Structures are given as C-alpha cells and as structure tokens.
Amino acid sequence: MEFILLLIGAGVAYFLYVTLQDYLKNPLHQDIVPQKQDFGFTQIESISEEERAQNKIRESEYGILSAILGIFARSDGKMCEFERVLVEDMIEEMARDSKNSKITKEALLDIYEHGDDRSLEQLCMDFDNATKGEYKKRLKVVEFLFVLAYADGEFDKNEEAMLIDIAAFFELDNEDFNKLYDEFSTLYSNNIEVTKQEAMQLLGVEDTYDAQTLQNAYKKAIKEAKGAILDTQHFNKSMLESNAPNLRRIKRAYEILNQDT
C-alpha cells in the first residue's frame, strides 16, 4: 500500500514539474503585440472624399449649367465644329469665373459630356435657385442658347421647344424671351454675302493658308467674337448688337475658305 502511494506521489510530482516547465516556456504574462490590421478605411475615405467633391461640383451653379448645356447641345442630334468651339469656350469661361479652384474646365466638360441624373426641369429649377437675384445672368444664358441653336444655321423644333421650357423654368418674362426669339429669327432669316478677301480678313489668314492654319484661326475668331457671356459688365449689352452677327459672318467666312483646302 505504501508503495502504491509512493508511486502516485511521484506521478503527481512529475506532472507538476512538466506543467511548470511549459509555463516557464510560454508564460501567460508574455506581452502580446497587436498587429495593425488594414481594413481599407483609408481607401474608403479617399473615395468618399472624391465623390463628395464631384457632387459639390455638380451641385454648383456652373456644374448645373454644364449639364443643361449638354442636354441642349444634343437635343437636335448633331453638333457642328462651330457649336463645339462655342460650348468649349463657354465652359472655359465658367471655370475662370468660378471661385472654387476645384471647378476646372475638365470637371465641367465631364459633366457636359456625361450628363446628370436630374431632368432638364430639375436642373433648370436648381440653376434658378442658384442665381436668385441674378435675372440678367439667366437671360444672358438663354441668349447664348439661341446662338447655339442657330450654330448650324437651322433652328430645330426640338431646340425651340427646349428653349421655351428653359426660359419658363428660369422664370424669364415672356416679353424678354419673345424679343430674343423674334430678333434671332430676323437675324438668321437674311442671307449674308462674304467675299474671299473679306473672309481672309475676318479670320486673319493670308492667301497661303493651309487647313490647320485655317482651323486654328477659325477657333480663335469664334472665341474672340463670342466675348465674355458671364461678365456682369456685358449683361446690359445684347449679343445681337455685335457678337451674334460677327459669329455668323465668321462661320460663313470659314465655309468659303474651307472649300479651297
């Protein structure tokens, strides 16, 4: 009996010895250094910031106007070079006029080209709200839209219907809109004659011009004749006084000279 108890005691002692050795090798109080886990929060925040910045541009006055221009420019299903240059220069002017450095020409062109989820009515109402107290600016925008509508020499029915809607959403007086409508109709109802010599003077090219020289001169002349639409100093001066007639002559000059390239 004593021998059995001795064996049991020895076994217990051995078990305690082994347990102690394991503890010393792997102490419970050993410091655990937590591993930093990258759950992608930085990337998510970065994307969110970018999206917020884009949304802010879209909700801005000129972001809204860029979307309106995009819808209107595509309303007749076609776009000539003359119209394209006018739109590009208008968007460049908006970027310059903006007080937000993030509202760049590229950002506004992206909105113009890819559109907006909002309807034309909602966009116009948003622009109307963004320009409260700036009636003359909205009138000037509609005046510019008339220039775009006649850019290809034809006032399309879709453009006409859309312009009427835009003017209504912008809360323009009927008298102001009808005056623009009638005066542009009168301007473009008359044919214009431009000689080749006059055409070269209008575009500032020599008789040795080539296709690229003519194209560059054409774009430059369009931008200069368009003027600063959004400059408050020009709000009381109608484009019909000089800008629109000059733009029409420039387009005709290009058509004449382009026949020889």
Side-chain angles (χ1 to χ4, degrees):
M1 183 66 178
E2 292 179 356
F3 179 73
I4 293 174
L5 291 175
L6 182 61
L7 287 175
I8 293 173
V12 171
Y14 179 74
F15 174 77
L16 293 174
Y17 172 77
V18 172
T19 302
L20 177 62
Q21 293 299 314
D22 288 340
Y23 173 78
L24 292 175
K25 292 178 181 178
N26 301 286
L28 294 177
H29 63 276
Q30 181 177 348
D31 293 337
I32 299 176
V33 180
Q35 298 296 317
K36 184 177 180 181
Q37 299 293 323
D38 184 3
F39 295 104
F41 292 141
T42 301
Q43 183 178 2
I44 293 174
E45 289 177 1
S46 175
I47 294 174
S48 297
E49 285 295 332
E50 182 179 352
E51 289 177 347
R52 280 195 290 270
Q54 290 175 346
N55 288 336
K56 191 172 182 180
I57 295 173
R58 289 182 182 278
E59 294 296 331
S60 70
E61 173 187 337
Y62 291 145
I64 297 168
L65 183 53
S66 295
I68 293 173
L69 287 176
I71 294 174
F72 185 78
R74 290 185 288 271
S75 63
D76 62 352
K78 55 187 176 181
M79 177 175 285
C80 63
E81 179 66 13
F82 184 64
E83 189 173 1
R84 187 176 293 107
V85 175
L86 283 172
V87 168
E88 183 178 336
D89 193 65
M90 180 65 168
I91 288 178
E92 189 172 328
E93 182 184 348
M94 288 191 285
R96 288 196 308 267
D97 190 64
S98 174
K99 296 178 176 60
N100 185 345
S101 61
K102 293 184 179 180
I103 300 180
T104 62
K105 176 183 176 181
E106 291 72 24
L108 296 178
L109 276 174
D110 183 69
I111 296 173
Y112 166 79
E113 291 171 355
H114 298 100
D116 192 287
D117 294 335
R118 288 167 288 184
S119 65
L120 177 64
E121 178 179 359
Q122 186 60 56
L123 286 166
C124 290
M125 292 173 64
D126 289 344
F127 186 76
D128 182 48
N129 289 329
T131 56
K132 286 298 183 186
E134 297 182 280
Y135 177 84
K136 290 183 178 180
K137 175 181 280 189
R138 297 196 298 277
L139 183 62
K140 203 70 176 177
V141 168
V142 170
E143 189 177 38
F144 177 71
L145 292 179
F146 267 107
V147 174
L148 285 184
Y150 278 100
D152 57 3
E154 180 183 357
F155 191 25
D156 184 85
K157 290 296 182 183
N158 290 332
E159 293 173 322
E160 180 180 358
M162 192 171 290
L163 254 179
I164 292 172
D165 287 341
I166 291 173
F169 296 142
F170 279 6
E171 300 182 293
L172 297 190
D173 291 339
N174 287 336
E175 183 179 348
D176 289 334
F177 178 78
N178 290 336
K179 182 181 179 182
L180 287 176
Y181 185 99
D182 292 340
E183 289 181 349
F184 270 98
S185 178
T186 299
L187 174 65
Y188 282 88
S189 64
N190 300 319
N191 294 325
I192 55 172
E193 296 297 332
V194 177
T195 66
K196 184 174 181 179
Q197 189 63 35
E198 290 173 334
M200 288 191 294
Q201 290 177 350
L202 279 169
L203 298 184
V205 296
E206 303 292 337
D207 54 7
T208 55
Y209 67 87
D210 56 20
Q212 188 59 56
T213 300
L214 180 62
Q215 184 74 8
N216 293 340
Y218 182 46
K219 290 182 179 180
K220 181 181 178 182
I222 292 173
K223 292 181 178 183
E224 289 178 351
K226 166 188 160 288
I229 305 296
L230 302 172
D231 189 339
T232 55
Q233 295 181 354
H234 297 165
F235 281 1
N236 291 322
K237 182 179 179 181
S238 173
M239 293 186 72
L240 286 155
E241 294 180 21
S242 60
N243 305 70
N246 288 342
L247 284 167
R248 194 175 179 218
R249 286 172 59 82
I250 288 168
K251 184 173 184 291
R252 181 59 184 148
Y254 175 76
E255 291 170 347
I256 292 172
L257 298 181
N258 194 43
Q259 295 173 355
D260 297 333
T261 60

